[in-house]
Amino acid sequence: MPVSGRLRVVEPVIEPTGVCDAQPVTSEPTSPTEPGIAPDTVALAKVVARQRAEMERLRDLAATSAVLERAVGAVMAASGCSPDAARETLAQGAKAARRTLLEECWLTLGRLAPPPVAAQTSGSPEYETFPRPAAESGSEMPGEAASPDDVAAALGRLGRALVRVGGSQDLAECLLEHLAPDTGADTVVLYARRPSGGLELVGHAGLDDSLADQWRHVPPLPGFPAFDALRDREPHWLEDTGDDRRASVGLPPWHHRSQAWLPVPAANADDVCVGVLRPHPGPFTPRHREHLRGAALLCSGPLRLFGPGQEDSGTGGTAEASPRSVFDALPVAALLLTPLRSPAGRVEDYRIDAATPQAGDILGRPHDELAGRRLLESCPPMGREPVWRGCLRTLSTGEPYEGAPFAHQEVVAGIAELSTYAVRVTRLDGRLVLTWLRHDASDLQEQRLADLQRLGSLGWANWNLVTQEAAWSSQVFTLFGREPVHGPVRLAELSDLALPEDAPALARAVDTLLETGRPFDLPVRVRAAGAVRHLRIVAEAVEDMSGTPVEVHGVVQDLTARRRVELALDESERAILTQHDVLRAERTLAARLQHALLPLPKRSMRLAGLHVEVAYLPAQSGVNVGGDWFSAIELPGSEALFVVGDVAGHGIDAVATMAQLRFTAKGMIITGSSLTGALTRLNRLLLHSRDSHGTATMVLARYQPEGRRLVWAQAGHPPPLLLRDGVASFLDRPRGVLLGASATPVFDEGECLLRPGDRVLMFTDGLVERPEEPIDRGLERLARVVEAHGGHTDSPLEPVLAVMLEEERRDDVCVLDIRVPDDVPDEVRPQ
């Protein structure tokens, strides 16, 4: 029930003290009757509201009276006085300390033992007053003064609200409701110290439930502020907990930047700590500190009534053993882990709550130092697959996880030994118990034998010829496809498991072994799991003193995979030989076709007054013939046509497309087509001809002796190289795209006026391309080589080719070497 000012509890027997106010009277605000509502209805609503308010007042009065009666009983038990004297003592203590009677009752129930109050009577117990600003003048900030009246009023309202608190969770919510407006806090947590030495979160408000679950049980972490406050029995004020500071002092990964941790005083020990957390950094002013200290004092009474939490097991009141004490007594290496989750709920790490001494030996540090640390920090290999996935699956499903054995080097009696362990994980009340299971020598030998059989796809078998008993390893049953419940077969019946084609040979080998003791090593085929399996069976006999076989030891190995590889290799070798013969025949046919369609001149040509040499070099690697080609002819009017092209791909199809382009291009130019017009028609020919071979590149040049004018065009081809006065440069490329690549190509012409002594090279990309090298670098290399070896008109082409093609040729090379003589005659005779 909201009441302004100081709280006074109605208690008729304490009238002589004069500290109790008159009984509060409830009232309801009057409001005019709304139109359309009957007066009887309004009157009835007022009666209901008045009765409800009266019920709330009576409930508060009953709760307050209960607190007062408990406080009176506490004073009587402490001083042995009468009930009236105990009430008088409470009233005088409240008046002297400027507290309400309810606040005095809460402090009395907390069984505090503060210094004496001057206004108290000589025989009354001593009770501490709330800290005032004058008591901590050393911590006051300049220019700021606390307001005792405001703090006292706030504490009075808090004391009044505590009468409805029924547990530690209610207490945390009540504290946040009354402290938030004044201090700016958005979270309150209550931690209680347990006999195990750790802390338990017994109440929280403003904290996410998942985060609260992660930090419900806190081992003795160094630097955790609640431990420090309980140890020093003094409040700890953290006014800026940045990310670096939070990591260094061990604070939880909460978003709160300023925190106050206050121990709750009690008569026997400081067992409860109140954490008041604010989202922003900043100092706690003297007023805030006085308010928070007073609130912590008031919490002692309610906590004394209902306790900070239950620690009894419920069986006879015996305290439950702490996890650390339990793990200290375990004879195995084990850890107790609490999952640490991100705000999205994903497990990021685990906190080690307890560890056994053996676990400390494995992790290389004392086990009591592991508590409170993160798992990935203490043992990084646990973050690898599949252990991490196993932990997550156990945490979500509850099914235990056991990992594969692994080797671990440890020191035993001062001697380094290599031991074998396996990790087992089980779930325990939302946490995990991780155990290292150590394999002894016999387990290790058995595991090694099992690994040997599994990795080698083999197994052992034993036949006792005296007792007629047989024993097989589990792997042998798997290899033969036989169920273990049917047992192993006798040695004489072993051939029944083989295919009919291999059974006679196996039967003969077994008979020879039994008669003469000669061992055998035999490949056998069996049918297992619906497929044929290739096995190798090796057996030897153990003879007695007379030379009679009495026992047979055998090994069975699965050679199916190797046999399949051998068969596949044989098939592949035959296919390669067949393909090689086909490719060789195709290359021979393509070479003959190419020679017929593209005859090479045996000596240099003279066209339109120019000296022309041709070089064609096939690829050195591979068995296919490429689609590189050239054409150098004289046109009507004493002009000359030079063409170099390259068809994508190799083989007969490339040669056929080459012939089609070569003859079509010559025919178009001879009949009067322009260079760009010819390229446009050739592009259309490749796009719409079913017999064409994809795409091609081409460069065409028409030479006019008058004015030594060279007009040229290109379709995705490297530009010609001009050597003039010992300097090599490439002609500027006009526009042009790959033939057969676009339905709407654009081709332009370029022009170059030649001079006496000039040299022009037209070539295919095989001259300049090298693996893993940009073509621009090859063009630069060609320019340097031509400058070095082709500086004169009479310089041969061979040195240039020798330098450019010093590595193995992977593609065909075609080159037209066009030279302008130093002395060109006035009349050019056609060739």
Side-chain angles (χ1 to χ4, degrees):
M1 181 177 63
V3 179
S4 61
R6 308 286 291 166
L7 175 67
R8 294 295 181 261
V9 180
V10 178
E11 186 59 42
V13 299
I14 314 181
E15 284 301 327
T17 64
V19 298
C20 296
D21 296 337
Q23 178 174 333
V25 179
T26 61
S27 63
E28 291 78 22
T30 60
S31 59
T33 304
E34 298 182 9
I37 300 179
D40 293 341
T41 303
V42 175
L44 182 59
K46 289 183 178 181
V47 171
V48 172
R50 187 161 47 249
Q51 291 179 348
R52 182 178 297 136
E54 183 65 16
M55 291 178 62
E56 292 291 333
R57 185 188 69 80
L58 293 176
R59 186 180 294 110
D60 290 343
L61 182 58
T64 302
S65 300
V67 173
L68 177 60
E69 291 302 325
R70 289 192 180 98
V72 168
V75 173
M76 292 173 59
S79 60
C81 64
S82 65
D84 293 340
R87 290 187 178 89
E88 182 68 22
T89 299
L90 291 172
Q92 290 183 4
K95 182 177 180 181
R98 299 183 59 203
R99 285 193 289 262
T100 65
L101 182 58
L102 189 55
E103 291 172 316
E104 188 72 20
C105 292
W106 283 127
L107 296 180
T108 301
L109 292 175
R111 297 189 180 180
L112 306 179
V117 179
Q120 285 181 298
T121 59
S122 58
S124 62
E126 300 172 349
Y127 295 94
E128 180 186 1
T129 61
F130 290 127
R132 303 303 181 191
E136 49 179 355
S137 58
S139 62
E140 277 196 30
M141 299 180 63
E144 180 179 352
S147 175
D149 293 336
D150 293 345
V151 172
L155 292 175
R157 290 192 295 271
L158 176 60
R160 206 164 53 238
L162 291 179
V163 299
R164 294 193 176 185
V165 169
S168 54
Q169 181 62 31
D170 294 343
L171 178 60
E173 296 173 357
C174 181
L175 288 175
L176 179 61
E177 179 182 355
H178 286 78
L179 296 179
D182 181 49
T183 63
D186 67 348
T187 301
V188 170
V189 293
L190 296 178
Y191 273 104
R193 182 159 52 190
R194 295 310 186 195
S196 61
L199 296 179
E200 180 182 354
L201 183 65
V202 296
H204 64 89
L207 189 65
D208 183 74
D209 289 339
S210 60
L211 195 59
D213 290 339
Q214 293 183 26
W215 291 89
R216 187 168 302 280
H217 300 280
V218 181
L221 293 172
F224 192 78
F227 283 109
D228 297 339
L230 292 175
R231 180 196 62 218
D232 301 336
R233 299 194 178 185
E234 287 291 337
H236 277 234
W237 313 96
L238 306 180
E239 297 178 336
D240 188 0
T241 60
D243 293 338
D244 295 338
R245 173 173 172 79
R246 182 181 292 110
S248 63
V249 303
L251 292 175
W254 302 339
H255 68 279
H256 308 89
R257 294 295 299 273
S258 58
Q259 305 176 12
W261 296 87
L262 305 99
V264 177
N268 50 356
D270 294 333
D271 292 330
V272 179
C273 185
V274 179
V276 182
L277 316 179
R278 303 187 302 187
H280 54 79
F284 287 92
T285 64
R287 189 172 101 106
H288 293 159
R289 299 192 180 198
E290 178 190 3
H291 193 177
L292 295 178
R293 281 178 169 167
L297 287 172
L298 287 180
C299 290
S300 61
L303 289 174
R304 176 65 61 182
L305 293 180
F306 50 73
Q310 299 297 329
E311 283 199 35
D312 295 341
S313 63
T315 57
T318 304
E320 182 180 341
S322 67
R324 296 186 64 183
S325 61
V326 172
F327 271 65
D328 287 342
L330 292 178
V332 296
L335 298 176
L336 180 62
L337 306 175
T338 294
L340 302 178
R341 302 180 183 271
S342 65
R346 184 172 57 89
V347 176
E348 296 181 331
D349 204 343
Y350 295 88
R351 185 182 68 240
I352 302 176
D353 292 339
T356 63
Q358 294 84 350
D361 295 338
I362 293 179
L363 299 181
R365 64 179 64 195
H367 74 287
D368 52 356
E369 295 182 5
L370 293 174
R373 294 183 177 271
R374 294 187 173 224
L375 178 63
L376 297 184
E377 172 191 353
S378 304
C379 188
M382 289 300 171
R384 303 173 185 169
E385 299 283 358
V387 177
W388 184 264
R389 289 290 180 188
C391 292
L392 295 179
R393 184 169 60 253
T394 300
L395 189 62
S396 60
T397 65
E399 297 180 1
Y401 164 79
E402 184 166 346
F406 64 92
H408 173 72
Q409 187 170 358
E410 58 184 353
V411 178
V412 179
I415 301 176
E417 294 183 356
L418 194 63
S419 303
T420 302
Y421 286 90
V423 173
R424 179 177 174 82
V425 182
T426 56
R427 190 173 69 181
L428 178 64
D429 293 336
R431 292 187 279 185
L432 295 179
V433 177
L434 187 147
T435 308
W436 285 272
L437 303 177
R438 190 173 188 271
H439 295 260
D440 56 22
S442 60
D443 293 337
L444 182 59
Q445 289 297 106
E446 184 177 350
Q447 182 63 41
R448 287 175 178 174
L449 181 58
D451 292 340
L452 175 64
Q453 296 183 73
R454 177 177 52 84
L455 296 176
S457 296
L458 53 84
W460 57 264
N462 184 75
W463 290 274
N464 191 318
L465 303 180
V466 177
T467 63
Q468 300 301 316
E469 294 179 349
W472 285 2
S473 68
S474 59
Q475 192 72 13
V476 172
F477 285 99
T478 302
L479 296 180
F480 279 109
R482 184 176 177 85
E483 292 294 335
V485 295
H486 298 153
V489 301
R490 297 172 54 189
L491 184 60
E493 301 171 352
L494 188 62
S495 59
D496 296 340
L497 302 178
L499 293 182
E501 298 85 349
D502 297 341
L506 180 57
R508 287 193 300 269
V510 171
D511 293 340
T512 303
L513 173 67
L514 296 177
E515 293 174 1
T516 66
R518 187 174 65 184
F520 67 83
D521 187 341
L522 191 68
V524 176
R525 291 173 298 171
V526 300
R527 184 170 297 278
V532 175
R533 183 170 291 169
H534 296 263
L535 302 181
R536 175 193 178 194
I537 302 178
V538 181
E540 65 176 6
V542 178
E543 301 175 347
D544 59 8
M545 297 180 62
S546 62
T548 303
V550 294
E551 192 172 12
V552 174
H553 303 310
V555 174
V556 182
Q557 185 178 10
D558 188 2
L559 302 180
T560 304
R562 189 173 74 176
R563 184 58 181 160
R564 288 175 179 171
V565 172
E566 292 174 352
L567 295 176
L569 288 176
D570 292 342
E571 183 67 23
S572 177
E573 185 177 357
R574 288 193 296 269
I576 290 175
L577 293 176
T578 303
Q579 183 69 15
H580 183 74
D581 294 340
V582 172
L583 292 177
R584 179 175 294 177
E586 183 179 341
R587 177 180 175 83
T588 302
L589 176 61
R592 292 177 179 177
L593 180 61
Q594 184 185 49
H595 182 72
L597 298 176
L598 190 65
L600 294 175
K602 297 182 180 180
R603 55 190 176 88
S604 62
M605 300 181 295
R606 187 174 178 85
L607 301 174
L610 303 177
H611 294 286
V612 181
E613 288 188 8
V614 179
Y616 183 90
L617 302 174
Q620 293 176 326
S621 61
V623 296
N624 284 322
V625 176
D628 293 22
W629 59 279
F630 72 93
S631 182
I633 61 173
E634 194 167 286
L635 299 175
S638 301
E639 296 181 351
L641 173 66
F642 305 102
V643 185
V644 172
D646 186 3
V647 176
H650 297 81
I652 296 178
D653 292 339
V655 173
T657 304
M658 174 269 293
Q660 186 181 34
L661 293 177
R662 183 172 184 267
F663 291 114
T664 304
K666 289 196 303 182
M668 290 181 181
I669 300 300
I670 291 175
T671 56
S673 295
S674 64
L675 300 181
T676 56
L679 290 177
T680 302
R681 292 180 175 86
L682 291 175
N683 180 76
R684 189 178 302 117
L685 176 65
L686 287 183
L687 286 176
H688 299 284
S689 176
R690 294 183 179 180
D691 300 330
S692 63
H693 190 72
T695 59
T697 64
M698 184 185 302
V699 58
L700 303 90
R702 181 198 297 266
Y703 178 71
Q704 301 171 356
E706 294 184 7
R708 305 185 191 93
R709 184 168 175 261
L710 183 70
V711 180
W712 68 288
Q714 61 87 26
H717 202 88
L721 176 69
L722 172 64
L723 179 66
R724 174 176 292 171
D725 299 331
V727 179
S729 62
F730 292 96
L731 301 182
D732 295 334
R733 291 180 63 185
R735 289 189 297 175
V737 298
L738 194 71
L739 294 179
S742 173
T744 57
V746 177
F747 300 103
D748 291 337
E749 293 182 348
E751 181 178 333
C752 177
L753 300 180
L754 301 180
R755 302 175 186 175
D758 285 352
R759 187 174 183 178
V760 178
L761 292 183
M762 300 172 63
F763 52 91
T764 57
D765 55 6
L767 182 64
V768 295
E769 281 187 338
R770 287 186 180 179
E772 301 180 357
E773 180 183 78
I775 193 172
D776 293 341
R777 188 173 298 176
L779 294 175
E780 294 174 359
R781 184 172 59 255
L782 175 62
R784 293 195 302 268
V785 172
V786 170
E787 290 177 349
H789 299 278
H792 302 283
T793 55
D794 56 350
S795 299
L797 182 61
E798 285 75 10
V800 175
L801 298 178
V803 176
M804 292 298 297
L805 303 176
E806 57 184 358
E807 297 182 358
E808 182 184 36
R809 296 188 302 276
R810 301 190 178 188
D811 196 3
D812 296 354
V813 177
C814 182
V815 181
L816 281 182
D817 185 6
I818 305 170
R819 309 181 190 186
V820 181
D822 293 330
D823 184 13
V824 181
D826 295 336
E827 295 183 359
V828 179
R829 293 176 297 174
Q831 236 7 45

